[in-house]
């Protein structure tokens, strides 16, 4: 952030609003292309108000949707490139176990997209990973490429390289108004900036920004319980730092899916969460959660009792995070239908962090008028009817 005594530059090649992982990687790619880029963040960094904080996220090759699976080799390569650029370790390979009923369509699609034939039954899974207990007749598929991304460290790393390449990051600066045109004008609490290109990656605040640009995107911010669970006897459950990540597909007791990973934040605990939450206003993100366990905690407790019997059935630590969901849980990566020099990246629906290197590349390409590296059919704004209103 520029020192207050310095003259404040006001004109850039590109402005990016929102310095979470998606906006930061977008700015990183733009700076790599020698574009003079301003990255704006409304909160002072680091902060826990959005969707990119915390120390850990799952990264995996396995996806039921082939269009995400095709992006993952590029994502792994770009994460490794960032590690090399910063001399920082950003990933720990642990593997990922996917649990579900045999023949479950999404589980089968993950297996096919991974190109693996092996399916583990309860005995085989228990032998390989003693902490997990499958229920009768259920199966597991292993993604050996998967692991844990060190999220906070990754966000700092990508912002560091962006600034090293000449990019400008201004935090604690809230955007008040966007004026579209051949040159876009962005007014903040600290200044007025102009650029021929604007990219909006403002997470749960994106809906409010695009409303003033005549777009009504079906974005629903959700408040998620992030829960950490203690072993009944330390070291006995086989769920320490070397245990695999997991996720469930098609379990009747967890219709939105449950995922878990070794806890970096709290050694000796395991992070297990329901991939669902309650609608929220992002401005109220930091209000303390209710001390009473909600329905998501009850679902998790029941799951842990059955599948992870070495863990206590009540969480030792509860935190919160924001998801911003689209109705189909696919991302929005597209130009504004009326203002082609404004690009929007939104609706990452709780599974976008791992894909941020490629998302940033695609948003960069859209902004520069280039042919995107991947098929964008699933990410268009116009797949949702009635989004364009009066500006």
């Amino acid at each position: 952030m520029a020192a207050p005594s310095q003259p404040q530059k006001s004109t850039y090649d590109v402005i990016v609003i929102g310095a979470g992982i998606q906006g930061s990687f977008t700015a990183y790619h733009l700076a790599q292309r020698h574009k003079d880029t301003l990255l704006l963040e409304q909160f002072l960094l680091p902060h826990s108000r959005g969707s990119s904080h915390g120390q850990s996220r799952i990264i995996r090759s396995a996806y039921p949707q082939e269009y995400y699976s095709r992006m993952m080799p590029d994502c792994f390569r770009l994460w490794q490139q960032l590690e090399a650029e910063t001399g920082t370790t950003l990933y720990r390979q642990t593997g990922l176990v996917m649990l579900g009923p045999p023949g479950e369509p999404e589980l089968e699609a993950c297996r096919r997209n991974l190109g693996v034939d092996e399916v583990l039954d309860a005995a085989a899974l228990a032998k390989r990973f003693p902490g997990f207990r499958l229920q009768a007749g259920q199966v597991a598929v292993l993604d050996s490429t998967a692991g844990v991304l060190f999220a906070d460290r990754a966000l700092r790393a990508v912002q560091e390289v962006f600034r090293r390449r000449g990019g400008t990051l201004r935090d604690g600066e809230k955007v008040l108004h966007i004026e579209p045109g051949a040159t876009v004008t962005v007014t903040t609490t600290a200044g007025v900036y102009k650029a021929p290109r604007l990219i909006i990656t403002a997470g749960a605040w994106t809906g409010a920004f695009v409303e003033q640009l005549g777009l009504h995107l079906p974005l629903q911010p959700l408040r998620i319980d992030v829960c950490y669970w203690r072993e009944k006897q330390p070291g006995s459950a086989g769920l320490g730092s070397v245990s695999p990540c997991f996720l469930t597909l098609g379990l009747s007791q967890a219709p939105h899916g449950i995922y878990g990973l070794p806890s970096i934040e709290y050694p000796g605990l395991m992070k297990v969460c329901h991939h669902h939450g309650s609608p929220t206003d992002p401005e109220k993100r930091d209000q303390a959660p209710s001390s009473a366990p909600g329905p998501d905690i009850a679902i998790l407790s029941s799951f842990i009792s059955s599948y992870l019997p070495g863990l206590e059935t009540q969480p030792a630590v509860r935190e919160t995070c924001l998801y911003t969901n689209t109705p189909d849980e696919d991302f929005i990566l597209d130009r504004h239908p009326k203002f082609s020099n404004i690009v929007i990246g939104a609706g990452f629906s709780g599974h976008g962090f791992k894909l941020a290197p490629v998302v940033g590349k695609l948003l960069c390409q859209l902004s520069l008028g280039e042919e995107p590296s991947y098929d964008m059919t699933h990410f268009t704004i116009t797949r949702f009817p009635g989004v364009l209103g009066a500006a």
Side-chain angles (χ1 to χ4, degrees), residues 325-341:
N325 281 33
T326 61
D328 56 14
E329 296 191 357
D330 282 329
F331 310 157
I332 292 170
L333 309 172
D334 203 358
R335 299 183 184 93
H336 191 292
K338 279 189 174 178
F339 311 115
S340 61
N341 60 341

Side-chain angles (χ1 to χ4, degrees), residues 6 42 48 91 234 251 355:
Q6 295 176 334
Q42 65 173 321
S48 62
Y91 162 68
L251 294 186
L355 286 146

Side-chain angles (χ1 to χ4, degrees), residues 135-146:
Q135 302 306 292
Q138 293 178 346
V139 296
V141 173
L142 177 63
D143 175 357
S144 59
T145 68

